Amino acid sequence: MRDTFRDKIIQVCNQKIESKGDNVGLSFYAFFKNKNDDSDLLMEAATWWIQTHKLDHFEKATKIKSMVEKGD
């Protein structure tokens, strides 16, 4: 996963946790604008989320942040 995307995931997770608490859930779409302006990155995220880690559609932001920080 690209370092810039890892940073973006951590940033978004932090924002969601700060605004909604530790139990907030999100999908990989939370890291993108409503406009698909980088389909390669979207597919990279989907592959990491769905195929590599077999995550549910919604997962806790704390879990995703921890996984990304560990390099999973």
Side-chain angles (χ1 to χ4, degrees):
M1 182 183 298
R2 305 172 199 183
D3 288 340
T4 54
F5 191 53
R6 283 184 189 280
D7 294 343
K8 174 75 173 184
I9 290 172
I10 292 169
Q11 175 191 13
V12 169
C13 286
N14 284 337
Q15 289 171 344
K16 296 286 185 180
I17 293 165
E18 287 175 19
S19 68
K20 300 195 180 212
D22 288 339
N23 288 325
V24 66
L26 47 79
S27 75
F28 68 88
Y29 292 113
F31 312 115
F32 297 92
K33 298 175 184 175
N34 287 336
K35 180 180 175 186
N36 182 7
D37 57 358
D38 190 343
S39 57
D40 289 338
L41 186 58
L42 181 62
M43 289 306 297
E44 184 179 329
T47 299
W48 181 89
W49 191 284
I50 298 166
Q51 290 182 326
T52 304
H53 294 287
K54 305 203 181 337
L55 299 171
D56 290 337
H57 183 75
F58 283 95
E59 293 285 349
K60 292 195 184 297
T62 53
K63 175 181 179 177
I64 299 304
K65 179 182 171 188
S66 176
M67 290 175 70
V68 170
E69 288 175 335
K70 290 178 186 174
D72 288 350

